[in-house]
Amino acid sequence: MAVKNITTPLAEDIVMDLEAGDNVLITGVIYSARDAAHKKLVDLLEKGEELPLDLQGQIIYYVGPAPAKPGQVIGSAGPTTSGRMDPYTPALLEKGAKGLIGKGSRSQKVKDALREHKAVYFASVGGAAALTAKTIKKADLVAYEELGAEAIRRLEVEDFPATVVNDAHGNDLYVDGAEKYARD
Amino acid sequence: MREIHVEKVRDCVKEMCIDANNNLGQDVVGAFEHSLKIEESPTGRNVLELLLENAKIARQEQVPMCQDTGFAVIFAEVGQDLRVVGGDLRAAIDEGVRRGYEEGYLRKSIVSDPIERVNTKDNTPAVVHFDIVPGDKLKLTIAPKGGGSENMSALKMLKPADGRQGVIDFVVGQARLAGPNPCPPTVLGVGIGGTFEKVAFLAKKALLRPLGQPHPSPFYAEMEKEILDKVNNTGIGPQGFGGRVTSLAVHIETYPCHIASFPVALNINCHASRHSERVL
């Protein structure tokens, strides 16, 4: 099975080359944010204030890791369900985010925004959290420490495994994949 | 009368929280291995290989297989000839959960109020289902339950006329609707009968049965097989990427019901079908 190696920040030609169903290994920096952090970021945007991070070309990972054991960079760190972030996602794509990593279906509004802003939605394997944590080499707090597991962290990753679900061309692996393997 | 000290219960619950989250049961590992043989999709097989590798890492390094270490759902079967001494049994169970989640480096995922949503920071309280049974033992089962799959679960009060087919249509329809969200390949716990609250309990309890063990009645064993085939024919596949293995198993639990009622509930579990059991 072909695997594409990609590095962050995501350049437009990389994004446009990705297709639903592609397996990728991501190397570079990604940012963790889930429910509570998304609400805070979008609240700032609505008030016309600056975000605590520059989203241009960046990838956001929907994760609330387990606590790190002594000697670990980060605890188990698999994706959470992306649909809960749907109401906030178009605003973050507008601010330049080029990639989102989570698991599960996105709303039509998010899929439309991915096409409009030339961005891509990846899924990493839900529940493969011990394995995924091993690809995270460094984790630094960026904002909202009070949110604990839900704080925004800068994660340096090496060969982080993910699969393209919604590409910038409007394809959806969740729809196409199920159709391909469905039987009557 | 046999006595048991609550401290023993507390320590046991602590160990079980850690054990269930770090050590995936051999029944589930076996189901992954079997699925690898029948999965036709390369992406699906890749997911299954990652899940096997993940389970190995979690066990070797004693870290949780999933960062969502769940709500601590505990079934406590208390023998009627057993006397619990030294304190409050429910409080001892919560203390065991508190220590297990802290000492095991497990994520604390519980908020104290569903609307205000402030984290309790120790993963308590547990959800505890007590039952009084004959004998002088205490049987504890802990099944940490993740939010993603719980959110895709559903309950419906069918009409008695809907019959067997009504149950099948409800379960398959709900699994299709859940799609990739509950982290397939899933385990489907199906409750049929009883009352509104009883049927949800049955669906949860159905998830405790070891994978691959069919219902003792041939009628319901056949129904489990039919639902599993239909769910796998949706093509949703591992992680929803498309494939032949959407669910690893379907478990049905039933109870008598009212002449006017036909409750059915589906409790979906992700592939991290975790449980740990001890008899004290």
Side-chain angles (χ1 to χ4, degrees):
Chain A
M1 197 167 37
V3 175
K4 291 179 177 170
N5 291 284
I6 58 174
T7 53
T8 67
L10 291 182
E12 192 175 308
D13 59 327
I14 296 176
V15 171
M16 298 314 283
D17 178 55
L18 293 173
E19 286 177 21
D22 284 350
N23 287 302
V24 299
L25 293 171
I26 303 168
T27 297
V29 170
I30 63 177
Y31 290 92
S32 72
R34 47 174 286 161
D35 309 55
H38 270 74
K39 184 170 188 329
K40 281 177 179 278
L41 292 177
V42 172
D43 281 350
L44 285 177
L45 289 177
E46 282 172 1
K47 282 189 268 179
E49 292 175 22
E50 283 298 301
L51 297 182
L53 72 166
D54 179 7
L55 287 175
Q56 205 58 48
Q58 301 301 338
I59 297 180
I60 300 171
Y61 181 26
Y62 307 143
V63 61
K69 277 171 94 163
Q72 267 190 319
V73 168
I74 195 166
S76 296
T80 193
T81 308
S82 308
R84 296 195 313 274
M85 268 50 80
D86 282 351
Y88 307 112
T89 300
L92 301 183
L93 294 173
E94 202 163 305
K95 290 299 283 182
K98 285 287 171 199
L100 315 162
I101 310 172
K103 55 129 178 150
S105 313
R106 307 309 306 255
S107 67
Q108 192 57 46
K109 275 188 181 167
V110 170
K111 292 182 210 170
D112 292 344
L114 289 168
R115 286 179 78 170
E116 187 190 341
H117 299 290
K118 295 184 174 133
V120 61
Y121 169 55
F122 305 92
S124 60
V125 175
L131 183 136
T132 305
K134 287 181 117 35
T135 69
I136 301 172
K137 305 299 175 188
K138 198 163 182 280
D140 294 308
L141 184 75
V142 172
Y144 312 133
E145 188 173 13
E146 71 279 10
L147 296 180
E150 292 201 53
I152 298 182
R153 289 182 175 82
R154 180 185 185 277
L155 308 175
E156 287 185 22
V157 297
E158 256 176 52
D159 295 337
F160 179 105
T163 302
V164 179
V165 172
N166 294 109
D167 61 28
H169 311 288
N171 299 306
D172 187 338
L173 175 63
Y174 289 145
V175 174
D176 302 344
E179 269 175 18
K180 189 170 173 189
Y181 291 96
R183 304 275 194 283
D184 289 331
Chain B
M1 200 177 207
R2 186 171 174 254
E3 291 190 347
I4 186 168
H5 200 281
V6 287
E7 284 178 6
K8 199 167 171 193
V9 176
R10 177 199 67 198
D11 293 345
C12 182
V13 167
K14 181 189 97 171
E15 287 165 20
M16 288 167 78
C17 287
I18 298 171
D19 176 49
N21 273 296
N22 295 356
N23 306 311
L24 189 61
Q26 281 310 310
D27 59 333
V28 186
V29 172
F32 288 163
E33 284 165 350
H34 172 68
S35 301
L36 252 182
K37 289 185 199 143
I38 58 171
E39 181 54 67
E40 296 165 15
S41 147
T43 312
R45 280 201 300 275
N46 182 46
V47 167
L48 293 164
E49 278 165 6
L50 290 175
L51 293 179
L52 280 167
E53 177 68 14
N54 185 66
K56 205 166 108 187
I57 293 172
R59 185 177 280 275
Q60 275 170 359
E61 303 187 6
Q62 281 303 293
V63 293
M65 63 195 82
C66 180
Q67 78 291 337
D68 184 352
T69 49
F71 212 133
V73 178
I74 294 170
F75 295 82
E77 291 179 17
V78 188
Q80 63 189 28
D81 299 323
L82 178 70
R83 203 169 144 237
V84 180
V85 299
D88 177 337
L89 178 59
R90 191 180 285 269
I93 290 174
D94 273 337
E95 184 58 29
V97 169
R98 185 175 290 119
R99 293 185 184 195
Y101 276 70
E102 190 55 40
E103 293 174 31
Y105 297 91
L106 307 178
R107 197 181 75 181
K108 289 80 183 169
S109 310
I110 305 306
V111 292
S112 60
D113 181 275
I115 293 175
E116 292 183 346
R117 308 197 74 81
V118 178
N119 199 301
T120 63
K121 297 202 165 106
D122 59 7
N123 220 58
T124 69
V127 168
V128 189
H129 300 290
F130 285 107
D131 198 6
I132 303 289
V133 298
D136 62 358
K137 301 278 196 281
L138 170 62
K139 181 176 165 193
L140 291 169
T141 306
I142 172 163
K145 189 65 173 69
S149 53
E150 196 74 354
N151 286 346
M152 304 316 294
S153 302
L155 189 156
K156 194 166 182 193
M157 305 304 280
L158 298 178
K159 291 183 177 63
D162 293 330
R164 182 181 186 272
Q165 193 59 42
V167 174
I168 294 172
D169 291 346
F170 167 75
V171 174
V172 176
Q174 190 60 33
R176 192 186 292 277
L177 206 64
N181 290 19
C183 284
T186 54
V187 178
L188 305 181
V190 181
I192 311 172
T195 49
F196 183 80
E197 86 287 5
K198 178 75 177 180
V199 76
F201 176 79
L202 291 173
K204 177 74 74 192
K205 205 162 183 194
L207 295 175
L208 301 179
R209 196 197 303 161
L211 302 193
Q213 191 181 306
H215 193 283
S217 126
F219 177 82
Y220 284 111
E222 178 57 33
M223 204 167 151
E224 289 176 344
K225 196 174 165 299
E226 187 175 337
I227 294 174
L228 182 63
D229 286 346
K230 285 204 157 77
V231 168
N232 285 338
N233 280 342
T234 60
I236 291 167
Q239 293 296 306
F241 297 156
R244 300 294 304 150
V245 183
T246 304
S247 288
L248 300 170
V250 176
H251 295 162
I252 294 175
E253 290 290 321
T254 65
Y255 200 77
C257 67
H258 190 280
I259 48 171
S261 298
F262 191 26
V264 56
L266 170 64
N267 196 194
I268 303 184
N269 208 355
C270 56
H271 55 76
S273 176
R274 297 164 284 197
H275 35 93
S276 178
E277 191 181 294
R278 299 261 186 98
V279 179
L280 298 177

